[in-house]
Coordinates of all heavy atoms in Angstrom, one line a residue:
T47 N 25.4 41.8 19.1 CA 25.1 43.3 19.2 C 23.6 43.5 19.6 O 23.1 44.6 19.4 CB 25.4 43.9 17.9 OG1 24.6 43.3 16.8 CG2 26.8 43.9 17.5
G48 N 23.0 42.5 20.2 CA 21.7 42.8 20.8 C 20.4 42.3 20.0 O 19.3 42.6 20.4
N49 N 20.6 41.6 18.9 CA 19.5 41.0 18.2 C 19.5 39.5 18.3 O 20.1 38.8 17.5 CB 19.6 41.4 16.7 CG 18.3 41.4 16.0 OD1 17.3 41.1 16.5 ND2 18.4 41.8 14.7
P50 N 19.0 39.0 19.4 CA 19.3 37.6 19.8 C 18.7 36.5 18.9 O 17.7 36.7 18.3 CB 18.6 37.5 21.2 CG 17.5 38.5 21.2 CD 18.0 39.6 20.3
C51 N 19.5 35.5 18.9 CA 19.0 34.2 18.2 C 18.5 33.3 19.4 O 18.9 33.5 20.5 CB 20.1 33.6 17.4 SG 21.6 33.0 18.2
P52 N 17.8 32.3 19.1 CA 17.2 31.4 20.1 C 18.4 30.7 20.9 O 19.5 30.6 20.4 CB 16.4 30.4 19.3 CG 16.2 30.9 18.0 CD 17.3 31.9 17.7
H53 N 18.1 30.4 22.2 CA 19.0 29.8 23.0 C 18.6 28.4 23.4 O 17.4 28.1 23.5 CB 19.2 30.5 24.4 CG 19.9 31.8 24.2 ND1 19.5 32.9 23.5 CD2 21.1 32.2 24.8 CE1 20.4 33.8 23.6 NE2 21.4 33.4 24.4
V54 N 19.5 27.5 23.5 CA 19.3 26.1 24.1 C 20.1 26.1 25.3 O 21.3 26.2 25.3 CB 19.6 25.0 23.1 CG1 19.5 23.7 23.8 CG2 18.8 25.0 21.9
F55 N 19.5 25.9 26.5 CA 20.1 26.1 27.8 C 20.6 27.6 27.7 O 19.8 28.5 27.5 CB 21.1 25.1 28.0 CG 20.5 23.7 28.0 CD1 20.8 22.8 27.0 CD2 19.6 23.3 29.0 CE1 20.3 21.5 26.9 CE2 19.1 22.0 28.9 CZ 19.4 21.1 27.9
S56 N 21.8 27.9 27.9 CA 22.3 29.2 27.9 C 23.2 29.5 26.7 O 23.8 30.6 26.6 CB 23.1 29.6 29.2 OG 24.2 28.8 29.2
I57 N 23.2 28.6 25.7 CA 24.0 28.7 24.5 C 23.1 29.2 23.3 O 22.2 28.6 22.9 CB 24.6 27.4 24.1 CG1 25.5 26.9 25.3 CG2 25.5 27.5 22.9 CD1 25.9 25.4 25.1
P58 N 23.5 30.4 22.7 CA 22.8 30.8 21.5 C 23.0 29.8 20.4 O 24.1 29.4 20.1 CB 23.5 32.1 21.2 CG 24.2 32.6 22.4 CD 24.6 31.3 23.2
I59 N 21.9 29.4 19.9 CA 21.9 28.3 18.9 C 22.7 28.7 17.6 O 23.2 27.9 16.9 CB 20.5 27.8 18.6 CG1 20.5 26.3 18.1 CG2 19.8 28.7 17.6 CD1 21.0 25.4 19.1
C60 N 22.7 30.0 17.3 CA 23.5 30.5 16.1 C 24.9 30.2 16.3 O 25.6 29.9 15.3 CB 23.2 31.9 15.9 SG 23.5 33.0 17.2
Y61 N 25.5 30.1 17.5 CA 26.9 29.8 17.7 C 27.1 28.3 17.4 O 28.2 27.9 16.9 CB 27.4 30.1 19.1 CG 27.3 31.6 19.4 CD1 27.3 32.0 20.7 CD2 27.2 32.5 18.4 CE1 27.2 33.3 21.1 CE2 27.1 33.9 18.8 CZ 27.1 34.3 20.1 OH 27.1 35.6 20.4
V62 N 26.1 27.4 17.7 CA 26.3 26.0 17.4 C 26.2 25.8 15.9 O 27.0 25.0 15.3 CB 25.1 25.2 18.1 CG1 25.2 23.7 17.7 CG2 25.2 25.4 19.6
V63 N 25.4 26.5 15.2 CA 25.3 26.4 13.7 C 26.6 27.0 13.1 O 27.1 26.4 12.2 CB 24.1 27.2 13.2 CG1 24.1 27.2 11.7 CG2 22.8 26.6 13.7
L64 N 27.2 28.0 13.7 CA 28.4 28.6 13.3 C 29.5 27.5 13.4 O 30.4 27.4 12.5 CB 28.8 29.8 14.0 CG 30.2 30.5 13.7 CD1 30.2 30.9 12.2 CD2 30.4 31.7 14.6
L65 N 29.5 26.7 14.5 CA 30.5 25.6 14.6 C 30.3 24.6 13.5 O 31.3 24.2 12.9 CB 30.3 24.9 16.0 CG 31.1 23.6 16.2 CD1 32.6 23.9 16.2 CD2 30.6 22.9 17.4
G66 N 29.1 24.3 13.2 CA 28.8 23.3 12.1 C 29.4 23.8 10.7 O 30.1 23.1 10.0
Y67 N 29.0 25.1 10.4 CA 29.5 25.6 9.1 C 31.1 25.8 9.1 O 31.7 25.6 8.1 CB 28.9 27.0 8.8 CG 27.5 26.8 8.1 CD1 26.3 27.0 8.8 CD2 27.5 26.6 6.7 CE1 25.1 26.8 8.1 CE2 26.3 26.4 6.1 CZ 25.1 26.6 6.8 OH 23.9 26.4 6.1
S68 N 31.6 26.1 10.3 CA 33.1 26.2 10.4 C 33.8 24.9 10.1 O 34.8 24.8 9.4 CB 33.5 26.7 11.8 OG 33.0 28.0 12.0
L69 N 33.2 23.8 10.6 CA 33.7 22.5 10.3 C 33.6 22.2 8.8 O 34.6 21.6 8.3 CB 33.0 21.4 11.1 CG 33.3 21.4 12.6 CD1 32.3 20.4 13.4 CD2 34.7 21.1 12.9
M70 N 32.5 22.6 8.2 CA 32.4 22.4 6.8 C 33.5 23.2 6.0 O 34.0 22.7 5.0 CB 31.0 22.7 6.3 CG 30.0 21.6 6.6 SD 28.4 21.9 5.9 CE 27.7 23.1 7.0
V71 N 33.7 24.4 6.4 CA 34.8 25.3 5.8 C 36.1 24.6 6.0 O 36.9 24.5 5.0 CB 34.8 26.7 6.4 CG1 36.1 27.4 6.1 CG2 33.6 27.5 6.0
L72 N 36.4 24.1 7.2 CA 37.7 23.3 7.4 C 37.8 22.1 6.4 O 38.8 21.8 5.9 CB 37.8 22.9 8.8 CG 38.2 24.0 9.8 CD1 38.1 23.4 11.2 CD2 39.5 24.6 9.5
S73 N 36.6 21.5 6.2 CA 36.7 20.3 5.3 C 37.0 20.6 3.9 O 37.6 19.8 3.2 CB 35.3 19.6 5.4 OG 34.4 20.2 4.5
V74 N 36.7 21.9 3.5 CA 37.0 22.3 2.1 C 38.5 22.6 2.0 O 39.1 22.4 1.0 CB 36.2 23.5 1.8 CG1 36.6 24.1 0.4 CG2 34.7 23.1 1.7
V75 N 39.1 23.1 3.1 CA 40.5 23.6 3.0 C 41.5 22.6 3.6 O 42.7 22.7 3.3 CB 40.7 24.9 3.7 CG1 39.9 26.0 3.0 CG2 40.4 24.9 5.2
F76 N 41.0 21.6 4.3 CA 41.9 20.5 4.9 C 42.4 19.6 3.8 O 41.6 19.2 2.9 CB 41.1 19.8 6.0 CG 42.0 19.1 7.0 CD1 42.9 19.9 7.7 CD2 41.9 17.8 7.2 CE1 43.7 19.3 8.7 CE2 42.7 17.2 8.2 CZ 43.6 17.9 8.9
S77 N 43.6 19.2 3.9 CA 44.2 18.4 2.7 C 44.1 16.9 2.9 O 44.2 16.2 1.9 CB 45.7 18.8 2.6 OG 46.4 18.4 3.8
H78 N 43.8 16.4 4.0 CA 43.8 14.9 4.2 C 42.4 14.4 3.9 O 41.4 14.8 4.5 CB 44.2 14.5 5.6 CG 44.3 13.0 5.7 ND1 43.3 12.2 6.1 CD2 45.4 12.2 5.6 CE1 43.7 11.0 6.1 NE2 45.0 10.9 5.8
G79 N 42.2 13.6 2.9 CA 41.0 13.1 2.3 C 40.0 12.5 3.4 O 38.9 12.9 3.4
G80 N 40.5 11.6 4.2 CA 39.7 11.0 5.2 C 39.2 12.0 6.3 O 38.0 12.0 6.6
A81 N 40.1 12.8 6.8 CA 39.7 13.8 7.8 C 38.7 14.8 7.2 O 37.8 15.3 7.8 CB 40.9 14.5 8.3
R82 N 38.9 15.1 5.9 CA 38.0 16.1 5.2 C 36.6 15.6 5.3 O 35.7 16.4 5.6 CB 38.4 16.2 3.8 CG 37.5 17.0 2.9 CD 38.0 17.1 1.5 NE 39.2 17.9 1.5 CZ 40.1 17.9 0.5 NH1 39.9 17.2 -0.5 NH2 41.2 18.6 0.6
H83 N 36.3 14.3 5.1 CA 35.0 13.8 5.1 C 34.4 13.8 6.5 O 33.2 14.0 6.7 CB 34.9 12.4 4.4 CG 35.2 12.5 2.9 ND1 36.4 12.5 2.4 CD2 34.3 12.8 1.9 CE1 36.4 12.6 1.1 NE2 35.1 12.8 0.8
Y84 N 35.2 13.4 7.5 CA 34.7 13.5 8.8 C 34.4 14.9 9.3 O 33.3 15.1 9.9 CB 35.8 12.9 9.8 CG 35.9 11.4 9.7 CD1 37.1 10.8 9.3 CD2 34.8 10.5 9.9 CE1 37.2 9.4 9.2 CE2 34.9 9.2 9.8 CZ 36.2 8.6 9.4 OH 36.3 7.3 9.3
L85 N 35.2 15.8 8.9 CA 34.9 17.2 9.3 C 33.6 17.7 8.6 O 32.7 18.3 9.2 CB 36.0 18.2 8.8 CG 37.3 18.1 9.7 CD1 38.4 18.9 9.0 CD2 37.0 18.7 11.0
F86 N 33.4 17.4 7.3 CA 32.2 17.7 6.6 C 31.0 17.1 7.2 O 30.0 17.8 7.5 CB 32.3 17.4 5.1 CG 31.0 17.7 4.4 CD1 30.8 19.0 3.9 CD2 30.0 16.8 4.3 CE1 29.6 19.3 3.3 CE2 28.8 17.1 3.6 CZ 28.6 18.4 3.2
V87 N 31.0 15.8 7.4 CA 29.8 15.1 8.0 C 29.5 15.6 9.4 O 28.3 15.8 9.7 CB 30.1 13.6 7.9 CG1 29.0 12.9 8.7 CG2 30.1 13.1 6.5
S88 N 30.5 15.9 10.2 CA 30.3 16.4 11.5 C 29.6 17.8 11.5 O 28.6 18.0 12.1 CB 31.6 16.5 12.3 OG 32.2 15.2 12.5
G89 N 30.2 18.7 10.7 CA 29.7 20.0 10.6 C 28.3 20.0 9.9 O 27.4 20.7 10.4
W90 N 28.1 19.3 8.9 CA 26.8 19.2 8.2 C 25.8 18.6 9.1 O 24.6 19.2 9.1 CB 26.9 18.4 6.9 CG 25.7 18.4 6.1 CD1 25.3 19.4 5.2 CD2 24.6 17.5 6.1 NE1 24.1 19.1 4.6 CE2 23.6 17.9 5.2 CE3 24.3 16.4 6.9 CZ2 22.4 17.3 5.0 CZ3 23.1 15.7 6.7 CH2 22.2 16.1 5.8
S91 N 26.1 17.6 9.9 CA 25.1 17.0 10.8 C 24.7 18.0 11.9 O 23.5 18.1 12.2 CB 25.7 15.8 11.4 OG 26.0 14.8 10.4
I92 N 25.6 18.7 12.4 CA 25.3 19.7 13.4 C 24.4 20.8 12.9 O 23.3 21.1 13.4 CB 26.6 20.4 14.0 CG1 27.4 19.4 14.8 CG2 26.2 21.6 14.8 CD1 28.8 19.9 15.1
A93 N 24.8 21.4 11.8 CA 24.0 22.5 11.2 C 22.6 22.0 10.7 O 21.6 22.7 10.9 CB 24.7 23.1 10.0
T94 N 22.6 20.8 10.1 CA 21.3 20.3 9.6 C 20.4 19.9 10.7 O 19.1 20.1 10.6 CB 21.6 19.1 8.7 OG1 22.4 19.5 7.6 CG2 20.3 18.5 8.1
S95 N 20.9 19.3 11.8 CA 20.0 19.0 12.9 C 19.3 20.2 13.5 O 18.1 20.2 13.7 CB 20.9 18.3 14.0 OG 21.4 17.1 13.6
I96 N 20.1 21.3 13.6 CA 19.5 22.5 14.1 C 18.5 23.1 13.1 O 17.4 23.6 13.5 CB 20.6 23.6 14.4 CG1 21.6 23.1 15.4 CG2 20.0 24.9 14.8 CD1 21.0 22.7 16.8
A97 N 18.8 23.1 11.8 CA 17.9 23.6 10.8 C 16.6 22.8 10.8 O 15.5 23.3 10.6 CB 18.6 23.6 9.4
V98 N 16.7 21.5 10.9 CA 15.5 20.6 10.9 C 14.6 20.9 12.1 O 13.4 21.1 12.0 CB 15.9 19.1 10.8 CG1 14.7 18.2 11.1 CG2 16.4 18.8 9.4
I99 N 15.3 20.9 13.3 CA 14.5 21.2 14.5 C 13.9 22.6 14.5 O 12.7 22.7 14.8 CB 15.5 21.0 15.8 CG1 15.8 19.6 15.9 CG2 14.8 21.6 17.0 CD1 17.0 19.3 16.9
G100 N 14.7 23.6 14.1 CA 14.1 24.9 13.9 C 13.0 25.0 12.9 O 12.0 25.7 13.2
S101 N 13.1 24.4 11.8 CA 12.1 24.4 10.8 C 10.8 23.8 11.2 O 9.7 24.3 11.0 CB 12.6 23.8 9.5 OG 13.7 24.5 8.9
V102 N 10.9 22.6 11.9 CA 9.8 21.9 12.4 C 9.1 22.8 13.5 O 7.9 23.0 13.5 CB 10.1 20.5 13.0 CG1 9.0 19.9 13.7 CG2 10.5 19.6 11.8
A103 N 9.9 23.3 14.4 CA 9.3 24.2 15.4 C 8.7 25.4 14.8 O 7.6 25.9 15.3 CB 10.4 24.6 16.5
E104 N 9.4 26.0 13.9 CA 8.8 27.3 13.2 C 7.5 27.0 12.6 O 6.5 27.7 12.7 CB 9.8 27.7 12.2 CG 9.4 29.0 11.4 CD 9.6 30.2 12.2 OE1 10.4 30.3 13.2 OE2 9.0 31.3 11.9
F105 N 7.4 25.8 11.9 CA 6.1 25.5 11.2 C 5.0 25.1 12.2 O 3.9 25.6 12.1 CB 6.4 24.3 10.3 CG 5.2 23.9 9.5 CD1 4.7 24.6 8.4 CD2 4.5 22.8 9.8 CE1 3.6 24.3 7.7 CE2 3.3 22.4 9.1 CZ 2.9 23.2 8.1
A106 N 5.4 24.3 13.2 CA 4.4 23.8 14.2 C 3.9 24.9 15.1 O 2.7 24.9 15.5 CB 5.0 22.7 15.0
L107 N 4.7 25.8 15.4 CA 4.3 26.9 16.3 C 3.8 28.1 15.6 O 3.5 29.1 16.3 CB 5.5 27.3 17.3 CG 6.0 26.1 18.2 CD1 7.2 26.5 19.0 CD2 4.8 25.6 19.1
G108 N 3.8 28.1 14.3 CA 3.3 29.2 13.5 C 4.2 30.4 13.4 O 3.7 31.5 13.2
G109 N 5.5 30.2 13.6 CA 6.4 31.3 13.4 C 7.0 31.8 14.7 O 6.6 31.4 15.8
G110 N 8.0 32.7 14.6 CA 8.6 33.3 15.8 C 9.7 32.5 16.5 O 10.2 32.8 17.5
V111 N 10.1 31.4 15.9 CA 11.1 30.5 16.5 C 12.5 30.8 15.9 O 13.4 31.0 16.7 CB 10.8 29.0 16.2 CG1 11.9 28.1 16.8 CG2 9.5 28.6 16.9
C112 N 12.6 31.0 14.6 CA 13.9 31.3 14.0 C 14.0 32.7 13.7 O 13.0 33.4 13.4 CB 14.0 30.5 12.7 SG 13.8 28.7 12.9
P113 N 15.3 33.2 13.6 CA 15.5 34.6 13.1 C 14.9 34.6 11.7 O 14.9 33.6 11.0 CB 17.0 34.7 13.1 CG 17.5 33.7 14.0 CD 16.5 32.6 14.0
S114 N 14.5 35.8 11.3 CA 13.9 36.0 10.0 C 14.6 36.9 9.1 O 15.4 37.8 9.5 CB 12.4 36.5 10.1 OG 12.4 37.8 10.6
S115 N 14.5 36.8 7.8 CA 15.2 37.6 6.8 C 14.6 39.0 6.8 O 15.3 40.0 6.5 CB 15.0 37.0 5.4 OG 13.7 37.0 5.0
G116 N 13.4 39.2 7.2 CA 12.8 40.5 7.2 C 13.2 41.4 8.3 O 13.3 42.6 8.2
G117 N 13.4 40.8 9.5 CA 13.7 41.7 10.6 C 14.9 41.3 11.4 O 15.4 42.0 12.3
G118 N 15.5 40.1 11.1 CA 16.7 39.7 11.8 C 16.5 39.0 13.1 O 17.0 37.9 13.3
S119 N 15.6 39.5 14.0 CA 15.5 38.9 15.3 C 14.5 37.8 15.2 O 13.8 37.6 14.2 CB 15.0 40.0 16.3 OG 13.6 40.3 16.0
V120 N 14.4 37.1 16.3 CA 13.5 35.9 16.4 C 12.1 36.3 16.1 O 11.4 35.7 15.2 CB 13.6 35.2 17.7 CG1 12.7 34.0 17.8 CG2 15.1 34.7 17.9
R121 N 11.6 37.3 16.7 CA 10.2 37.7 16.5 C 10.2 39.1 15.7 O 9.1 39.7 15.7 CB 9.4 37.8 17.8 CG 9.3 36.4 18.4 CD 8.4 36.4 19.5 NE 8.4 35.2 20.2 CZ 7.7 34.1 19.9 NH1 6.9 34.1 18.9 NH2 7.8 33.0 20.6
G122 N 11.3 39.5 15.2 CA 11.5 40.8 14.6 C 10.4 41.3 13.7 O 9.7 42.3 14.0
S123 N 10.2 40.7 12.6 CA 9.2 41.2 11.7 C 8.0 40.3 11.5 O 7.2 40.5 10.6 CB 9.9 41.5 10.3 OG 10.3 40.2 9.7
V124 N 7.9 39.3 12.3 CA 6.8 38.4 12.2 C 5.9 38.5 13.4 O 6.3 38.2 14.5 CB 7.4 36.9 12.1 CG1 6.2 35.9 11.9 CG2 8.4 36.8 10.9
E125 N 4.7 39.0 13.1 CA 3.7 39.0 14.1 C 2.5 38.3 13.5 O 2.1 38.6 12.4 CB 3.4 40.5 14.5 CG 4.6 41.1 15.2 CD 4.2 42.5 15.6 OE1 3.0 42.8 15.8 OE2 5.1 43.3 15.8
N126 N 1.9 37.5 14.3 CA 0.7 36.7 13.8 C 0.9 35.9 12.6 O 0.2 36.0 11.6 CB -0.5 37.7 13.6 CG -0.9 38.4 14.9 OD1 -0.7 37.9 16.0 ND2 -1.3 39.7 14.7
G127 N 2.0 35.2 12.6 CA 2.3 34.3 11.5 C 3.3 34.9 10.5 O 4.1 35.8 10.8
F128 N 3.3 34.4 9.3 CA 4.3 34.7 8.2 C 4.0 36.0 7.6 O 2.8 36.3 7.3 CB 4.2 33.6 7.2 CG 5.3 33.7 6.1 CD1 6.6 33.4 6.4 CD2 4.9 34.2 4.9 CE1 7.5 33.5 5.4 CE2 5.9 34.3 3.9 CZ 7.2 34.0 4.2
Q129 N 5.0 36.8 7.5 CA 4.8 38.1 6.8 C 5.5 38.1 5.4 O 6.6 37.6 5.3 CB 5.4 39.2 7.6 CG 5.3 40.6 7.0 CD 6.0 41.7 7.9 OE1 6.4 41.4 9.0 NE2 6.1 42.8 7.3
L130 N 4.8 38.5 4.4 CA 5.4 38.5 3.1 C 6.7 39.2 3.1 O 6.9 40.3 3.6 CB 4.4 39.2 2.1 CG 4.8 39.1 0.6 CD1 4.8 37.7 0.2 CD2 3.8 39.9 -0.2
G131 N 7.7 38.6 2.5 CA 9.0 39.2 2.4 C 9.9 38.8 3.6 O 11.0 39.2 3.7
S132 N 9.4 38.1 4.5 CA 10.1 37.6 5.7 C 10.2 36.1 5.7 O 9.1 35.5 5.9 CB 9.4 38.2 7.0 OG 10.1 37.7 8.1
V133 N 11.4 35.6 5.6 CA 11.5 34.1 5.5 C 12.3 33.7 6.7 O 13.4 34.2 7.0 CB 12.3 33.7 4.2 CG1 12.5 32.2 4.2 CG2 11.5 34.2 3.0
P134 N 11.8 32.7 7.5 CA 12.6 32.2 8.6 C 13.9 31.6 8.1 O 14.0 30.8 7.2 CB 11.7 31.1 9.2 CG 10.3 31.4 8.7 CD 10.5 32.1 7.4
L135 N 15.0 32.0 8.7 CA 16.3 31.6 8.3 C 16.6 30.1 8.5 O 17.5 29.6 7.8 CB 17.4 32.5 9.0 CG 17.4 33.9 8.6 CD1 18.5 34.7 9.3 CD2 17.5 34.1 7.1

Side-chain angles (χ1 to χ4, degrees):
T47 59
N49 203 359
C51 62
H53 286 65
V54 172
F55 302 108
S56 63
I57 301 170
I59 205 67
C60 52
Y61 298 161
V62 177
V63 176
L64 179 59
L65 170 66
Y67 274 102
S68 296
L69 290 171
M70 286 187 281
V71 166
L72 284 175
S73 78
V74 172
V75 296
F76 203 56
S77 63
H78 189 272
R82 173 179 293 163
H83 291 90
Y84 288 119
L85 287 170
F86 177 84
V87 169
S88 298
W90 187 86
S91 297
I92 290 168
T94 302
S95 297
I96 300 300
V98 167
I99 291 167
S101 295
V102 169
E104 182 78 21
F105 183 77
L107 298 175
V111 175
C112 300
S114 66
S115 62
S119 72
V120 176
R121 297 190 187 276
S123 66
V124 179
E125 293 183 23
N126 301 325
F128 185 77
Q129 179 181 353
L130 187 62
S132 175
V133 178
L135 294 179

